[in-house]
PDB file of all heavy atoms in Angstrom:
ATOM      1  N   THR A 129       9.215  -0.827   1.809  1.00  0.00           N
ATOM      2  CA  THR A 129       8.929  -1.410   3.122  1.00  0.00           C
ATOM      3  C   THR A 129       8.168  -2.713   2.938  1.00  0.00           C
ATOM      4  O   THR A 129       7.517  -2.929   1.908  1.00  0.00           O
ATOM      5  CB  THR A 129       8.087  -0.470   4.003  1.00  0.00           C
ATOM      6  OG1 THR A 129       6.803  -0.260   3.381  1.00  0.00           O
ATOM      7  CG2 THR A 129       8.777   0.871   4.199  1.00  0.00           C
ATOM      8  N   LYS A 130       8.272  -3.571   3.929  1.00  0.00           N
ATOM      9  CA  LYS A 130       7.503  -4.815   3.917  1.00  0.00           C
ATOM     10  C   LYS A 130       6.535  -4.816   5.082  1.00  0.00           C
ATOM     11  O   LYS A 130       6.836  -4.308   6.166  1.00  0.00           O
ATOM     12  CB  LYS A 130       8.426  -6.031   3.974  1.00  0.00           C
ATOM     13  CG  LYS A 130       9.295  -6.127   5.201  1.00  0.00           C
ATOM     14  CD  LYS A 130      10.190  -7.368   5.148  1.00  0.00           C
ATOM     15  CE  LYS A 130      11.074  -7.482   6.385  1.00  0.00           C
ATOM     16  NZ  LYS A 130      11.934  -8.687   6.347  1.00  0.00           N
ATOM     17  N   VAL A 131       5.356  -5.389   4.854  1.00  0.00           N
ATOM     18  CA  VAL A 131       4.309  -5.488   5.861  1.00  0.00           C
ATOM     19  C   VAL A 131       4.220  -6.949   6.289  1.00  0.00           C
ATOM     20  O   VAL A 131       3.981  -7.829   5.458  1.00  0.00           O
ATOM     21  CB  VAL A 131       2.953  -5.011   5.313  1.00  0.00           C
ATOM     22  CG1 VAL A 131       1.887  -5.057   6.405  1.00  0.00           C
ATOM     23  CG2 VAL A 131       3.072  -3.595   4.751  1.00  0.00           C
ATOM     24  N   THR A 132       4.435  -7.209   7.570  1.00  0.00           N
ATOM     25  CA  THR A 132       4.459  -8.582   8.078  1.00  0.00           C
ATOM     26  C   THR A 132       3.525  -8.716   9.271  1.00  0.00           C
ATOM     27  O   THR A 132       3.210  -7.738   9.952  1.00  0.00           O
ATOM     28  CB  THR A 132       5.880  -8.999   8.495  1.00  0.00           C
ATOM     29  OG1 THR A 132       6.358  -8.101   9.510  1.00  0.00           O
ATOM     30  CG2 THR A 132       6.827  -8.967   7.318  1.00  0.00           C
ATOM     31  N   ALA A 133       3.103  -9.954   9.529  1.00  0.00           N
ATOM     32  CA  ALA A 133       2.270 -10.259  10.690  1.00  0.00           C
ATOM     33  C   ALA A 133       2.804 -11.518  11.355  1.00  0.00           C
ATOM     34  O   ALA A 133       3.337 -12.417  10.683  1.00  0.00           O
ATOM     35  CB  ALA A 133       0.812 -10.460  10.275  1.00  0.00           C
ATOM     36  N   SER A 134       2.661 -11.590  12.665  1.00  0.00           N
ATOM     37  CA  SER A 134       3.160 -12.732  13.425  1.00  0.00           C
ATOM     38  C   SER A 134       2.221 -13.924  13.296  1.00  0.00           C
ATOM     39  O   SER A 134       0.993 -13.768  13.340  1.00  0.00           O
ATOM     40  CB  SER A 134       3.308 -12.355  14.901  1.00  0.00           C
ATOM     41  OG  SER A 134       4.228 -11.304  15.070  1.00  0.00           O
ATOM     42  N   LEU A 135       2.809 -15.110  13.143  1.00  0.00           N
ATOM     43  CA  LEU A 135       2.047 -16.345  13.088  1.00  0.00           C
ATOM     44  C   LEU A 135       2.064 -17.038  14.450  1.00  0.00           C
ATOM     45  O   LEU A 135       2.955 -16.764  15.268  1.00  0.00           O
ATOM     46  CB  LEU A 135       2.643 -17.281  12.028  1.00  0.00           C
ATOM     47  CG  LEU A 135       2.619 -16.765  10.583  1.00  0.00           C
ATOM     48  CD1 LEU A 135       3.334 -17.740   9.664  1.00  0.00           C
ATOM     49  CD2 LEU A 135       1.191 -16.545  10.112  1.00  0.00           C
ATOM     50  N   PRO A 136       1.106 -17.915  14.718  1.00  0.00           N
ATOM     51  CA  PRO A 136       1.063 -18.575  16.028  1.00  0.00           C
ATOM     52  C   PRO A 136       2.328 -19.352  16.378  1.00  0.00           C
ATOM     53  O   PRO A 136       2.660 -19.503  17.558  1.00  0.00           O
ATOM     54  CB  PRO A 136      -0.141 -19.526  15.894  1.00  0.00           C
ATOM     55  CG  PRO A 136      -1.012 -18.875  14.869  1.00  0.00           C
ATOM     56  CD  PRO A 136      -0.076 -18.235  13.904  1.00  0.00           C
ATOM     57  N   ASP A 137       3.054 -19.848  15.360  1.00  0.00           N
ATOM     58  CA  ASP A 137       4.259 -20.620  15.640  1.00  0.00           C
ATOM     59  C   ASP A 137       5.499 -19.760  15.820  1.00  0.00           C
ATOM     60  O   ASP A 137       6.610 -20.268  15.913  1.00  0.00           O
ATOM     61  CB  ASP A 137       4.502 -21.659  14.533  1.00  0.00           C
ATOM     62  CG  ASP A 137       4.708 -21.018  13.164  1.00  0.00           C
ATOM     63  OD1 ASP A 137       4.775 -19.775  13.092  1.00  0.00           O
ATOM     64  OD2 ASP A 137       4.797 -21.757  12.166  1.00  0.00           O
ATOM     65  N   GLY A 138       5.310 -18.431  15.829  1.00  0.00           N
ATOM     66  CA  GLY A 138       6.431 -17.533  16.063  1.00  0.00           C
ATOM     67  C   GLY A 138       7.060 -16.972  14.807  1.00  0.00           C
ATOM     68  O   GLY A 138       7.872 -16.026  14.884  1.00  0.00           O
ATOM     69  N   ARG A 139       6.722 -17.529  13.642  1.00  0.00           N
ATOM     70  CA  ARG A 139       7.266 -16.992  12.402  1.00  0.00           C
ATOM     71  C   ARG A 139       6.509 -15.734  11.987  1.00  0.00           C
ATOM     72  O   ARG A 139       5.461 -15.414  12.524  1.00  0.00           O
ATOM     73  CB  ARG A 139       7.176 -18.042  11.286  1.00  0.00           C
ATOM     74  CG  ARG A 139       8.038 -19.273  11.526  1.00  0.00           C
ATOM     75  CD  ARG A 139       7.909 -20.259  10.373  1.00  0.00           C
ATOM     76  NE  ARG A 139       6.543 -20.748  10.239  1.00  0.00           N
ATOM     77  CZ  ARG A 139       5.815 -20.627   9.129  1.00  0.00           C
ATOM     78  NH1 ARG A 139       6.316 -20.009   8.073  1.00  0.00           N
ATOM     79  NH2 ARG A 139       4.584 -21.116   9.086  1.00  0.00           N
ATOM     80  N   SER A 140       7.077 -15.021  11.003  1.00  0.00           N
ATOM     81  CA  SER A 140       6.424 -13.834  10.445  1.00  0.00           C
ATOM     82  C   SER A 140       5.999 -14.116   9.022  1.00  0.00           C
ATOM     83  O   SER A 140       6.755 -14.716   8.244  1.00  0.00           O
ATOM     84  CB  SER A 140       7.373 -12.627  10.474  1.00  0.00           C
ATOM     85  OG  SER A 140       7.639 -12.231  11.798  1.00  0.00           O
ATOM     86  N   ALA A 141       4.793 -13.684   8.684  1.00  0.00           N
ATOM     87  CA  ALA A 141       4.278 -13.857   7.327  1.00  0.00           C
ATOM     88  C   ALA A 141       4.334 -12.524   6.597  1.00  0.00           C
ATOM     89  O   ALA A 141       3.922 -11.490   7.134  1.00  0.00           O
ATOM     90  CB  ALA A 141       2.845 -14.372   7.367  1.00  0.00           C
TER      91      ALA A 141
END
Side-chain angles (χ1 to χ4, degrees):
T129 63
K130 61 181 180 179
V131 183
T132 59
S134 299
L135 298 176
D137 61 6
R139 295 181 298 122
S140 293

